[in-house]
Amino acid sequence: MKSVEERIIERINREIGNEVDNLYKSQNLVNEYEERLEEIRSQLTIGDPSLNPVIKVALDSANEASAKLKNQIEKIDTFSENLNEKLDFRTSIVDGIEENIEKIHELENLEEYFMILRDIQEISHELKACVSGKDEAKIVGFYLALCGEHGSSNSIIGRLQDVEAHHLKTYANQTASYWHDILLEKFSTDFESLLKTIRWPYLGHASEALNPSKDAMHKLSILSEYLFLIKPPGDPSSGHVVLSPGVTCPPISHPVHLLIKPFRHRFQFHFTGSKQTNRLDKPEWYFTQILNWAKDNNIFVGEHFQSSASRAGLAQLNVRLEFIRGLIQLTMEKLCEEIEEIAQDEHLFSHLLDEVLSFEQDLKDTLNYPNTFPSAITVLTQAQYLVKWLNIEKGFTTNKMDEIMTGESPWEFIEPSSFEELKIPKCVDQFLHLLDGIRERYRSLPQPGHQLQFLQLQLELIDNFRRRLVQLHNTNVGITKVLNAVNYLTSVLREWGENVHYLHLHAALVGPDAPEINSVFDKAVEELEHWQRKLVKELAGRVVDDIKAKSMPYRHDLWVTMPEQNAKEPFILSATAGEMFHVMMHNLHNLEMELSTNIFGFVLRLIAHQLDDFFLDSMIMNTKFSTGGAAQFQFDMTRNLFPLFGQYVRKPELQFKSIADSSIILNLPRGSAILLHQTLRDASDLESHRKSLREVKVTNLMPPVALDVLERRTDICF
């Protein structure tokens, strides 16, 4: 939108224009604008209402609205005053009764307090009255009303869980503890008497075989149910048994504790103090004893006491396993007392390790003891003893590796009749058994973090073994034996990487949300494969160098003047090629006998590839061929070189593509050769070159190289 100044300028330009004679019109414009300004001023003057009706209407409307607004404000002020008066009245009423409401709440709480106190006293009185009676179910019922399941609102102590009444809680807990001890002693005494009646425990002697009556077992079942139900007040998790700063055991239920009690007495009798059976160097004695007790009695315990636990609301409790755990805790207590002294002697500690690991394996194999339950291994995996264990493993395996590498015939193949394709050196097989032995010893550890420390030791040993192999390949051991060792070690580590045990360790190492599943041996395998490729290349190079050294007479034969072969006489191998092919055949035969099948395949292909390049670059491209020379070369290659390699590969010509194509080109009929030469020289289209080569069955050589080979012929005039 244009401004006022712009509109005025446009009008002046329009009225006056560029003519000087029109300047008189400027006065007319000034007069016109003055008249319009005066008219506008008269409309804006409100003194005379008849001159500005629009402004008057607007002012009247504004005055009316202002009056209505003022009226509404007055109404609001009046309502506010009335509301404040009523609020003040009601506030005074609330202030007056608030104190009474608080007193009512206090009285209600006090009433509830005394009701709970009365209930505690009544229950205590009832227990006192019937504790000496025969109605045991009634006694247990009263106790559960006082101290039932933790967190339950069906008992008094459960109702007090969220109540802030310290003294009442203390009184209730003390009362419950008082009756808990009395009832526990009462039922425990009866329970132990019945155990003696059934001649518990069974210690493996035929004369002590358990033969309980049905009445005795029924009574035991009921008593054990009561003992499961009678729990002490307080936090159930506070009953953990601390054997040492790093070893704790969950509490054992009281019925199981009573079942284990006679075993504890016998264990202490035989394996503490000055008894001859108590020896630091014979931990297997008490491990075997505990294992036998568990085997002989765990089924009986599970069959007769699991139902009692279920009736008591403890269906999730496996009584059989808890009984075994209680027996194992005896070994843990003894280990905690003796391990510090044992750890000072490496021989004793090593022997203890072996016995504990054997004990753990027996527990799992024969008793299905869970890996997550505390056991003797828990004592050994305390930080200071785990470090000592790792150091012993490292020292033992390092020394054992030295023995393996320097022992009798370490590079002899194991069981050649069964492993002919693998050709496994004895040293690498023994090393892998050494690694697997470490796995067998640490795989029962409950903590993945502990297992990862042993895995790291395995990886260090693998790297150490690889370095030893690297140092040996240039010695009298020989490169082929080292290659076999590296090859077998690599294949086994790949297989181990897919084992569930090592997959679990990989998950523990990188976390369950890793983008892909890898092997914990990936780095080790990568390093071994790198070294294997290097050795294969070196070995192939050595063989090819031997062949090259014997190929000079053949390469410098009189190819350019060689006469054509008489059609009636068969071709025979060039005399100059005999020594070269002999070396070739000898080397390939030795490699096949000395190398694993897959490694021999790698080496063979690499040898063929290098020979293919060598014959093309160092012979064909540096030689002129007569028709007879070309035919002889083709015979030497296709009827001698190819069949020689054909003993080991299905299609040897595919390994010597350059030689095969060159033989075709050198032996094309002269007319076809001239036509092909003209095409390769004249046509600029690469595809037409390739098409022409394909027509004569040359598929590998590039057109420029094929042209160079073609020009090696003496029967074509260029």
Side-chain angles (χ1 to χ4, degrees):
M1 185 177 180
K2 296 181 179 179
S3 63
V4 176
E5 290 82 356
E6 290 175 342
R7 292 199 299 273
I8 292 173
I9 291 172
E10 285 182 358
R11 185 171 182 188
I12 291 174
N13 290 332
R14 189 169 57 250
E15 293 291 338
I16 298 176
N18 297 328
E19 300 296 331
V20 179
D21 296 339
N22 292 335
L23 288 175
Y24 71 92
K25 295 181 180 181
S26 61
Q27 185 60 42
N28 295 334
L29 290 174
V30 171
N31 293 335
E32 181 181 348
Y33 279 116
E34 287 179 347
E35 290 175 1
R36 293 186 64 182
L37 287 171
E38 188 63 29
E39 182 181 354
I40 293 171
R41 288 193 189 96
S42 65
Q43 291 178 357
L44 294 175
T45 302
I46 61 175
D48 185 359
S50 62
L51 297 178
N52 47 12
V54 176
I55 295 176
K56 181 179 179 182
V57 171
L59 289 175
D60 290 342
S61 299
N63 290 332
E64 183 179 354
S66 177
K68 290 181 180 179
L69 182 62
K70 183 176 181 181
N71 185 34
Q72 293 297 326
I73 292 173
E74 291 175 354
K75 289 181 180 180
I76 291 172
D77 291 341
T78 302
F79 178 78
S80 177
E81 292 176 0
N82 294 334
L83 181 61
N84 287 334
E85 291 177 1
K86 292 181 180 181
L87 287 175
D88 291 341
F89 174 72
R90 284 167 173 72
T91 301
S92 63
I93 294 176
V94 171
D95 292 340
I97 66 173
E98 184 175 9
E99 182 177 352
N100 293 330
I101 292 174
E102 291 179 357
K103 290 181 179 180
I104 291 172
H105 287 161
E106 289 178 1
L107 290 173
E108 289 177 344
N109 290 336
L110 187 60
E111 181 184 15
E112 179 70 17
Y113 188 95
F114 280 111
M115 288 177 64
I116 292 176
L117 184 61
R118 183 198 62 191
D119 290 344
I120 295 173
Q121 292 174 342
E122 288 180 354
I123 291 173
S124 182
H125 178 74
E126 293 291 343
L127 284 171
K128 185 177 180 181
C130 65
V131 71
S132 300
K134 296 183 179 181
D135 194 348
E136 296 169 340
K138 184 178 180 181
I139 297 173
V140 174
F142 279 126
Y143 181 80
L144 294 179
L146 176 62
C147 178
E149 190 69 29
H150 294 284
S152 172
S153 60
N154 296 327
S155 65
I156 290 177
I157 291 180
R159 288 157 55 190
L160 291 173
Q161 290 294 320
D162 300 322
V163 177
E164 295 182 3
H166 173 71
H167 296 291
L168 184 60
K169 284 183 177 180
T170 302
Y171 176 67
N173 284 323
Q174 289 177 346
T175 303
S177 296
Y178 170 78
W179 285 112
H180 171 267
D181 294 342
I182 291 176
L183 298 182
L184 194 66
E185 182 179 0
K186 171 183 172 59
F187 292 129
S188 297
T189 301
D190 295 342
F191 189 85
E192 289 183 283
S193 297
L194 280 170
L195 288 179
K196 291 179 181 178
T197 301
I198 67 170
R199 302 178 69 181
W200 175 267
Y202 176 60
L203 301 176
H205 304 295
S207 60
E208 298 175 354
L210 296 175
N211 188 21
S213 65
K214 291 184 178 180
D215 290 341
M217 289 311 305
H218 177 69
K219 183 62 176 176
L220 269 176
S221 176
I222 294 175
L223 285 175
S224 61
E225 180 184 350
Y226 294 159
L227 289 170
F228 279 124
L229 287 170
I230 298 174
K231 299 176 182 177
D235 185 4
S237 63
S238 61
H240 277 66
V241 179
V242 180
L243 303 182
S244 72
V247 180
T248 60
C249 294
I252 296 174
S253 59
H254 196 70
V256 176
H257 171 75
L258 294 176
L259 290 170
I260 293 173
K261 187 175 179 180
F263 293 105
R264 177 179 290 276
H265 291 160
R266 284 164 173 77
F267 187 87
Q268 291 175 346
F269 176 81
H270 289 293
F271 303 111
T272 58
S274 58
K275 293 291 183 181
Q276 293 182 353
T277 50
N278 181 31
R279 292 173 52 176
L280 292 178
D281 62 337
K282 294 294 182 181
E284 61 269 28
W285 286 354
Y286 63 83
F287 284 139
T288 302
Q289 185 64 80
I290 289 295
L291 196 62
N292 289 335
W293 285 345
K295 290 178 181 178
D296 292 339
N297 295 277
N298 76 97
I299 301 299
F300 177 85
V301 171
E303 288 178 348
H304 292 91
F305 297 99
Q306 185 62 53
S307 58
S308 301
S310 299
R311 292 196 302 271
L314 301 175
Q316 77 283 357
L317 173 65
N318 190 319
V319 179
R320 184 187 71 85
L321 286 179
E322 188 174 68
F323 170 75
I324 298 172
R325 180 166 64 84
L327 291 176
I328 292 173
Q329 187 171 315
L330 300 178
T331 67
M332 296 174 66
E333 293 170 1
K334 182 169 179 60
L335 274 179
C336 286
E337 294 175 359
E338 297 179 346
I339 190 168
E340 186 173 354
E341 182 179 356
I342 292 175
Q344 296 175 7
D345 187 314
E346 186 171 304
H347 176 73
L348 289 178
F349 191 80
S350 299
H351 180 63
L352 176 64
L353 282 174
D354 293 336
E355 294 304 326
V356 167
L357 293 173
S358 176
F359 176 63
E360 294 290 323
Q361 194 61 45
D362 283 340
L363 286 176
K364 292 171 178 58
D365 292 344
T366 62
L367 297 172
N368 295 321
Y369 191 72
N371 199 40
T372 55
F373 275 33
S375 186
I377 198 71
T378 309
V379 181
L380 288 179
T381 52
Q382 296 178 88
Q384 66 273 32
Y385 305 120
L386 185 65
V387 170
K388 186 172 183 62
W389 181 0
L390 283 165
N391 290 334
I392 289 176
E393 285 281 0
K394 187 173 183 179
F396 168 76
T397 50
T398 302
N399 292 335
K400 191 67 176 176
M401 194 154 48
D402 291 338
E403 293 177 10
I404 289 172
M405 302 304 291
T406 59
E408 182 180 355
S409 304
W411 296 101
E412 182 182 70
F413 295 153
I414 63 167
E415 302 183 19
S417 59
S418 302
F419 298 94
E420 187 174 354
E421 293 185 355
L422 291 175
K423 294 184 173 61
I424 305 167
K426 186 168 68 173
C427 62
V428 72
D429 181 66
Q430 292 176 339
F431 173 69
L432 286 168
H433 278 93
L434 188 66
L435 287 181
D436 200 45
I438 296 175
R439 180 188 68 86
E440 285 295 320
R441 287 191 288 276
Y442 78 76
R443 70 188 179 97
S444 60
L445 296 181
Q447 296 297 328
H450 295 158
Q451 294 191 22
L452 288 175
Q453 294 182 59
F454 284 89
L455 173 64
Q456 184 59 40
L457 173 60
Q458 286 180 296
L459 295 175
E460 291 176 5
L461 291 172
I462 292 169
D463 187 63
N464 188 349
F465 191 74
R466 179 186 63 83
R467 293 175 186 275
R468 293 182 185 224
L469 294 179
V470 170
Q471 296 169 357
L472 288 172
H473 89 282
N474 278 325
T475 65
N476 58 354
V477 169
I479 191 172
T480 56
K481 295 177 181 178
V482 174
L483 257 175
N484 288 330
V486 173
N487 175 62
Y488 183 64
L489 180 58
T490 304
S491 64
V492 171
L493 291 181
R494 282 202 207 95
E495 183 180 345
W496 283 2
E498 299 175 359
N499 183 277
V500 174
H501 168 76
Y502 290 111
L503 289 176
H504 284 165
L505 288 184
H506 177 266
L509 189 63
V510 303
D513 299 326
E516 59 182 87
I517 299 176
N518 296 317
S519 165
V520 292
F521 299 109
D522 274 352
K523 184 178 179 182
V525 168
E526 182 181 349
E527 292 174 344
L528 287 167
E529 287 181 336
H530 170 75
W531 181 241
Q532 179 176 297
R533 289 191 296 270
K534 186 175 180 180
L535 290 178
V536 166
K537 186 176 180 180
E538 181 179 336
L539 180 58
R542 290 182 183 181
V543 174
V544 171
D545 287 344
D546 286 347
I547 297 171
K548 288 179 181 179
K550 302 299 182 181
S551 69
M552 184 174 293
Y554 183 73
R555 288 186 287 115
H556 293 87
D557 208 344
L558 300 176
W559 301 103
V560 68
T561 60
M562 196 171 292
E564 291 188 28
Q565 180 74 17
N566 188 333
K568 295 182 179 180
E569 296 179 2
F571 275 97
I572 60 173
L573 178 67
S574 298
T576 54
E579 190 174 4
M580 177 184 71
F581 277 105
H582 176 75
V583 170
M584 192 182 302
M585 180 178 63
H586 178 74
N587 277 304
L588 295 183
H589 175 73
N590 288 343
L591 290 178
E592 183 191 24
M593 298 302 296
E594 295 174 5
L595 287 174
S596 302
T597 301
N598 63 318
I599 295 296
F600 175 67
F602 296 149
V603 175
L604 188 71
R605 286 191 290 273
L606 192 55
I607 290 172
H609 177 73
Q610 293 182 14
L611 287 177
D612 193 41
D613 291 341
F614 171 72
F615 276 107
L616 177 66
D617 297 335
S618 300
M619 178 181 174
I620 297 173
M621 291 302 184
N622 292 324
T623 306
K624 290 288 187 175
F625 291 89
S626 65
T627 303
Q632 182 64 46
F633 175 75
Q634 185 179 40
F635 175 80
D636 292 341
M637 295 296 106
T638 60
R639 301 298 297 275
N640 290 276
L641 177 65
F642 292 1
L644 179 59
F645 277 81
Q647 299 178 62
Y648 312 109
V649 294
R650 181 174 298 179
K651 293 184 178 181
E653 62 274 10
L654 297 180
Q655 308 298 325
F656 297 95
K657 294 180 179 179
S658 297
I659 292 177
D661 284 355
S662 298
S663 296
I664 292 173
I665 293 173
L666 291 173
N667 288 275
L668 282 174
R670 185 168 181 275
S672 299
I674 293 174
L675 182 60
L676 178 62
H677 182 267
Q678 183 179 355
T679 302
L680 295 178
R681 287 291 299 269
D682 297 342
S684 59
D685 183 11
L686 182 61
E687 185 57 35
S688 66
H689 290 174
R690 290 178 173 173
K691 182 179 179 182
S692 299
L693 290 172
R694 286 197 298 269
E695 288 176 354
V696 296
K697 298 183 179 181
V698 175
T699 58
N700 183 68
L701 292 179
M702 294 297 293
V705 179
L707 180 61
D708 287 345
V709 173
L710 194 59
E711 292 179 347
R712 300 295 94 199
R713 295 177 55 146
T714 59
D715 61 340
I716 300 178
C717 296
F718 304 114

